Structure formats: C-alpha cells, structure tokens
Amino acid sequence: MIIDAHATVGFSLDDNRDMSAEFVLSLMDRVGIDKACITHTQCRFQDFVEGNSTTARVVREHPDRFIGFFGVNPARYLGVLDEVDRCLDELDLAALRIFNNEASFTSGWAAGVRGLMHERLFAKAMARKIPVYLDSGFPFSVVLSLARTYPRIKLIAAGVGYGNIAEAIIAVNGAPNLWLDIIALDIQDGVELLVKECGAEKLVFGSGMPLASPSSPLLMVKMADISQEDKDKILGGNLAGILGAGR
Amino acid sequence: MIIDCHAHLGWWFFPIRQESASDVAPIMDKWGIDKAVFSSVRAIMEDCRDANSRLADQITAYPGRMYGYITLNPHYPDVWRRDLETYAGDVRFVGVKLHAAWHSCPIDSKPYAPIFKRCEELHLPVLAHSYDPTSDTMSASAPERLANVARDYDVQIVMGHMGGNPLRGIRACAACGPNLSLEISAGRENAGQMYAWDLLRIRRALDALGPERVLFGSDMPLVDPAICFGAVRDSNLTPHEEELVMWRNAERIFGLSG
C-alpha cells in the first residue's frame, strides 16, 4: 500500500488552480497512491478551526483514501492549544502539520519554529502523543534540536534535497524519533544514499499533491536500487507505523 | 527516442558519485536516454581555462550518445574566444552553455553581447541557466533578461529550468519569437518555491507556447532523472507532444539527427 504523507486540499491563493479533494483523488488514482494525508490550506492564514473541520469532513467522506492532519497558526494565540484537543478528541485527526508560514509571512514578526508559541504547541503534541509533520524549509540543525527537545514526539521532516542532504543525514541519525519525508529529494540516487546512511526505516514518502508532481518522488523510490522490502517501507509501511493502528 | 538537453559532467560539492562519462552512461541506460548534451561543472563553478577540453576528452568515448556544450565565462574573453573557435566546428559539441548566475554577470549585459553575436554568426544554439531572481545573484539569469537577449539576436536560446518560476518563464517566452524555448529540469528542494516543480508547469507551457518550444532536460547527475520523468508522466502529453518534447525539438535545435 502506498501512503502519501503530504497532500493539501483547499484554495490556491496565488495561482488559479484546482486544489479540491476530488482533484487530489483523481491524481491518486492516476499514479497509484492508495491513501494520502491531507491538510486544508485554510489552516495557514485563516480560521484554522473551520479549516480543520473541513479536513475532517473530507476524511469522513473518503475514509479509505484520506488521513487527516490538522494545522494551526501559532501566531493566532487565541484558541491554538484548545484546537489541538478538538482535532484529536472531536475530529479524530491523526497528526499535527507545521506549515512553514515563515516562507510566506515575511514581515519579520514570525518567530520561527523555535518560537515560544511553537514551544507550547510541541509540548502539547508530546503530551497528547501525536506525530508532528514539519513542512520543508526548516534547517535540519533546527529539526534535530526539536527532535531532541521533544523526544517522545514522532517527528517527520520534509525538505531534504541535494543542497542539504548532508545536514538531513546527520539530523536523522541523531534522533531516534525523527523521520525524513523524501518529498523534495532530488539528488542523483538520493534514495539509495539515504537508505545506506540512515536506513529505509527512517524514510517516508510524500508527494506535495496537488501542487507538485506526485510521480517524481514515486519514481525516485520505485526506480531506486534498493530491495522491494525497503521500497514498501518507504512508500507506506513506515508511515503506517508512525500513525498507528486504525489509520 | 529520448534526448536530454541538460546534463553535466564533473565534480559536485554534494554527495554525488557520478563524475565521469563512464559514471553517467549507466544513468542514461537506466532511464532509456539515447542522447544527452553535457556541460562541464568545472567550467560553470571554477576554472574555465581547461574545462571544455576536459569535457571533450570525456565525451569522445561516446560518439553519437554524448554531446557537449561549450561553456563560456564572459569574464575571460581570451578563453571563451579560443574555446568557441576551437569547438564550434567539432562534431562533439552542439551548443553553448551560459550560466549568468554562477558567473555573476547579467545575461543581457555587455560582457555577453560578443558571445551572443558570435553564436549568431556560427549558428550555435545556447542553453542558458535561468532561475527565479529572488536574490541579486540569481537575477543575472532572470527569464526576462533572457527574453531581452532572444529579441536582440538570431540565436536559438533554451531557457534552463523554465526560468525557475514556470509562469514567468512562460510569459518571457511568449513575449519573444520562436527562438526562445523552455527546458523542463528542476530540482525539488527549496520549500516555499514549489512552483519550480509545479504539477502544471509543463502542461501550461505546452498550452501557451505550443509543443515546439518545450524540451526535455534532467539536470543529471545533479538531479535524478526521476524528477523530470515524473513531471512528464504527470503532464498527460499527447503522443505528438511527447515526441516533440522528448527528442524532436532537441534534435532540431541542436542538430542531433546524425
């Protein structure tokens, strides 16, 4: 079974394009992805309560195809930690996705993923024993420091590519609770390198649908010179283990 | 048939083991790439003086399979003139590679003018690196600058990486004549710049410019060909579009029919 750790539904702010759940489903069918973890775009800069409720509704409509991740914007302060509880207790969402809002919010106010509100958020996630997914763009030195600060959080970090693969290898080998999403992995034989240096057990597959081509990371794994057993782990087995039974 | 018009030979400051022609040939075999055009990493990132000759030595062992770009650094006119005259008539070399960002020189500025003039006289096509100008360095290779050059010279210019920002690359191409085309390779890193590996980029280019102005490139072995083969797979090309994108356009522009 192929499980995609990174898909998004909602609305595209800066480009008129289809980001509907139906479109994501059509892509999944086309390329052979069985299940996808989705988050709603509204969780970035608008009412995340409504956004997470929409995610939960979409998952309820397609329980065999979607797994719901939730998001909050820590800068909102009001209701952020309560929303974590609501997403887990009422909406049955599976994990917290940390958007890289700093990539879009450039006023200089954003505190970064090591900011004080993120600190509260991570503490909450650890207390509630939920996995946390980090979007691309955070330095792996910071990712490793987060993993070590919150050792009981299962942390999945996206963003490893040719420029930072050395950092990513050291980071993932430095924390047993850290996994890498290969969503941005592009370096020649990158999957083989990561499997050799970190082990297939530390890698998960994410596509970036519907913004990015899902077949690119799929081919990175499918064409890699590694065992079928390792491919199966990367393409879904590891993520299923992280998310736990029933997902 | 598959022709990859964006490939490299040389040493990378990333963990990439494939440096020589014999290292890269198996990658071509694995992906069914029949022909590829390579530029020297050394000429882009370090010393241009001996880099093209080193590349010539490498590709000699693969006639009809591996071709070369003459990579030119505008800051060294004696060297680029020597290399251009030396290799322009060499069947191993089929075009010129320019990397305005690494060479910190705007592609439409004066130092490049004599290069484009000579390429025009020699009927040599150019593959020009292009990326989204999010910094001063990268702005040297902005898509809009390439469009300026394409309007000024009768040279076939291929815009590498679709300009990094495909929408801007497409707009720049649409503002020029048919001598400016797009090459589709793109790395997948740099969060917040997802447009470089946008699901829709190839389809949008085809719809806006027609299939004659889009070329397949992988950027191997910096970037694994999986990235661009995946992007093509997700673009729903018609058989006619696929034939043009995957080889016929490159064959026409670089004269690779022999």
Side-chain angles (χ1 to χ4, degrees), chain A residues 15-17 30-31 136-137 162-163 165 183-189 207 210-216 219-220 223, chain B residues 14-16 18 27 30-31 187-189 191 197-200 204 221-227 230-231 233-234 236:
Chain A
D15 184 13
N16 186 342
R17 58 194 298 157
R30 192 193 304 165
V31 304
S136 300
Y162 66 74
I165 193 166
I183 177 174
L185 186 62
D186 50 9
I187 191 171
Q188 182 69 50
D189 298 339
S207 76
L211 296 175
S213 289
S215 290
S216 295
L219 283 178
M220 283 290 287
M223 295 291 283
Chain B
F14 306 114
I16 296 167
Q18 294 88 348
I27 301 174
K30 174 179 176 177
W31 291 94
R188 272 180 74 98
E189 65 174 328
W197 26 290
D198 187 339
L199 169 69
L200 304 178
R204 282 173 164 171
L222 172 60
V223 174
D224 195 300
I227 301 302
R233 179 178 288 187
D234 289 340
N236 298 320

Side-chain angles (χ1 to χ4, degrees), chain A residues 148-188:
Chain A
R148 286 176 170 167
T149 305
Y150 306 99
R152 295 197 302 281
I153 290 180
K154 293 178 178 175
L155 190 63
I156 303 169
V160 54
Y162 66 74
N164 61 3
I165 193 166
E167 293 289 303
I169 289 168
I170 294 169
V172 79
N173 285 335
N177 58 322
L178 178 60
W179 286 260
L180 298 175
D181 182 343
I182 60 134
I183 177 174
L185 186 62
D186 50 9
I187 191 171
Q188 182 69 50

Side-chain angles (χ1 to χ4, degrees), chain B residues 124-143:
Chain B
L124 272 175
V126 171
L127 171 64
H129 170 86
S130 184
Y131 219 78
D132 180 39
T134 50
S135 68
D136 288 343
T137 302
M138 300 311 283
S139 72
S141 61

Side-chain angles (χ1 to χ4, degrees), chain B residues 2-8 28 33-39 65 67-69 94-97 125-128 157-161 181-185 213-220 244-247 249-251 253-254 256:
Chain B
I2 297 174
I3 299 176
D4 182 346
C5 75
H6 192 151
H8 297 283
M28 296 174 66
I33 298 169
D34 299 282
K35 302 179 183 190
V37 191
F38 295 86
S39 59
R65 185 118 203 265
Y67 296 88
Y69 287 113
V94 295
V96 163
K97 171 68 183 273
V126 171
L127 171 64
I157 299 171
V158 179
M159 183 190 295
H161 313 304
S181 305
L182 297 174
E183 176 272 318
I184 65 167
S185 71
R213 296 175 72 183
V214 181
L215 286 77
F216 176 78
S218 71
D219 211 0
M220 70 173 170
L244 289 168
V245 170
M246 299 306 289
W247 66 279
N249 292 336
E251 182 188 70
I253 290 173
F254 297 105
L256 297 177

Side-chain angles (χ1 to χ4, degrees), chain A residues 41-86:
Chain A
T41 52
Q42 188 168 325
C43 299
R44 300 191 67 181
F45 298 114
Q46 276 295 297
D47 183 352
F48 46 72
V49 174
E50 187 175 275
N52 290 323
S53 294
T54 305
T55 299
R57 177 180 56 75
V58 172
V59 172
R60 280 196 300 273
E61 289 169 357
H62 305 278
D64 54 334
R65 305 303 304 278
F66 289 140
I67 297 165
F69 284 8
F70 63 96
V72 293
N73 191 326
R76 168 73 177 177
Y77 180 70
L78 303 171
V80 167
L81 299 180
D82 290 343
E83 178 62 2
V84 175
D85 289 326
R86 191 184 76 96

Side-chain angles (χ1 to χ4, degrees), chain A residues 188-228:
Chain A
Q188 182 69 50
D189 298 339
V191 171
E192 289 91 330
L193 179 64
L194 288 179
V195 168
K196 179 173 180 289
E197 296 296 326
C198 316
E201 295 75 14
K202 298 306 289 284
L203 307 177
V204 304
F205 161 74
S207 76
M209 288 189 300
L211 296 175
S213 289
S215 290
S216 295
L218 261 182
L219 283 178
M220 283 290 287
V221 179
K222 287 185 171 180
M223 295 291 283
D225 186 18
I226 57 175
S227 69
Q228 186 58 49

